[in-house]
């Protein structure tokens, strides 16, 4: 790479950083290429250069299902939680269990969730998940009553820092867990 190319990529990486700071939502590679009028190869190199530069600071470049975003490095999470405790969102056990069933078994119906969890599903839990934009209805099951099929959304992936559902940790062996009890 020539010095001129390196300067061009260095400047492009700064433009990417500015756009990511100014954006309220992650930016896709497609959007970045369009706004900066660059090739995929140059964008990839500029993103790598930006990541190198950020590695010495407190921000990191993170890619989620919705695109690229800047976020505070994980090593500072303790400080943020101590200074801004109201930012910590407590998710109930029931909400996490429900979300897990949807994420791992989708598409699922409300009755499928109740069967897996062994308890009646509160409408409030589903409402919270819909309000957060973490789940959505996509189609209906071809059975009596045609119940809605629930799926996770890109916002769910973003909230948990994932690009794809296959990045979820492996499903625990519930029989082994129950045997430990």
């Amino acid at each position: 790479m020539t010095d001129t190319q390196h300067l061009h990529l260095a400047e492009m990486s700064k433009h990417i950083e500015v756009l990511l700071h100014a954006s309220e939502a992650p930016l896709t590679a497609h959007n970045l290429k369009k706004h900066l009028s660059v090739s995929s190869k140059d964008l990839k190199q500029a993103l790598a250069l930006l990541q190198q530069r950020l590695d010495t600071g407190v921000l990191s470049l993170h890619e989620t299902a919705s695109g690229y975003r800047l976020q505070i490095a994980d090593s500072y999470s303790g400080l943020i939680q101590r200074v801004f405790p109201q930012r910590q969102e407590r998710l109930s056990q029931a909400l996490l269990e429900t979300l897990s069933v949807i994420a791992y078994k989708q598409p699922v119906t409300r009755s499928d969730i109740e069967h897996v969890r062994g308890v009646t599903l509160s409408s409030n839990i589903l409402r919270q998940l819909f309000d957060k934009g973490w789940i959505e209805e996509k189609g209906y099951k071809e059975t009596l009553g045609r119940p809605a099929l629930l799926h996770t959304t890109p916002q769910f992936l973003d909230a948990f820092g994932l690009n794809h559902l296959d990045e979820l940790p492996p499903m625990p062996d519930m029989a082994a867990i129950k045997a430990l009890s």
Side-chain angles (χ1 to χ4, degrees):
M1 177 183 321
T2 67
D3 287 343
T4 306
Q5 287 174 314
H6 185 74
L7 283 173
H8 171 69
L9 290 174
E11 192 62 27
M12 189 187 319
S13 74
K14 290 177 184 177
H15 289 198
I16 293 168
E17 184 177 7
V18 166
L19 292 174
L20 292 175
H21 273 292
S23 177
E24 293 181 11
L27 294 174
T28 64
H30 175 75
N31 284 337
L32 289 169
K33 286 190 303 189
K34 182 176 81 171
H35 293 304
L36 299 172
S37 301
V38 297
S39 69
S40 294
K41 178 184 173 197
D42 284 349
L43 178 64
K44 187 175 181 180
Q45 290 176 333
L47 286 166
L49 199 57
L50 173 58
Q51 182 60 61
Q52 276 182 331
R53 205 171 70 247
L54 291 173
D55 282 344
T56 62
V58 298
L59 294 177
S60 65
L61 179 65
H62 192 75
E63 185 179 9
T64 67
S66 297
Y68 294 94
R69 69 179 182 201
L70 296 177
Q71 65 185 39
I72 298 170
D74 291 341
S75 58
Y76 294 96
S77 65
L79 173 64
I80 292 168
Q81 290 172 2
R82 214 172 39 252
V83 175
F84 303 108
Q86 70 276 12
R87 288 181 145 194
Q88 292 179 349
E89 184 175 2
R90 299 274 184 225
L91 301 176
S92 72
Q93 183 73 27
L95 185 137
L96 288 172
E97 287 175 5
T98 301
L99 185 58
S100 295
V101 171
I102 296 169
Y104 282 99
K105 304 271 187 200
Q106 63 188 303
V108 296
T109 64
R110 181 183 185 127
S111 132
D112 296 333
I113 296 167
E114 291 174 343
H115 177 74
V116 170
R117 289 191 61 229
V119 296
T120 302
L121 179 59
S122 161
S123 295
N124 185 42
I125 289 175
L126 283 181
R127 185 174 35 249
Q128 287 177 49
L129 293 171
F130 278 114
D131 289 349
K132 289 179 181 305
W134 290 354
I135 64 169
E136 64 186 350
E137 291 180 356
K138 276 190 188 173
Y140 300 93
K141 190 170 184 177
E142 294 299 325
T143 62
L144 186 61
R146 295 183 37 87
L149 293 170
L150 302 172
H151 296 257
T152 56
T153 65
Q155 291 90 338
F156 160 77
L157 296 172
D158 289 347
F160 289 90
L162 304 169
N163 283 316
H164 306 283
L165 286 171
D166 57 9
E167 293 177 358
L168 285 168
M171 184 78 146
D173 179 8
M174 297 310 287
I177 292 172
K178 286 181 181 177
L180 293 174
S181 301

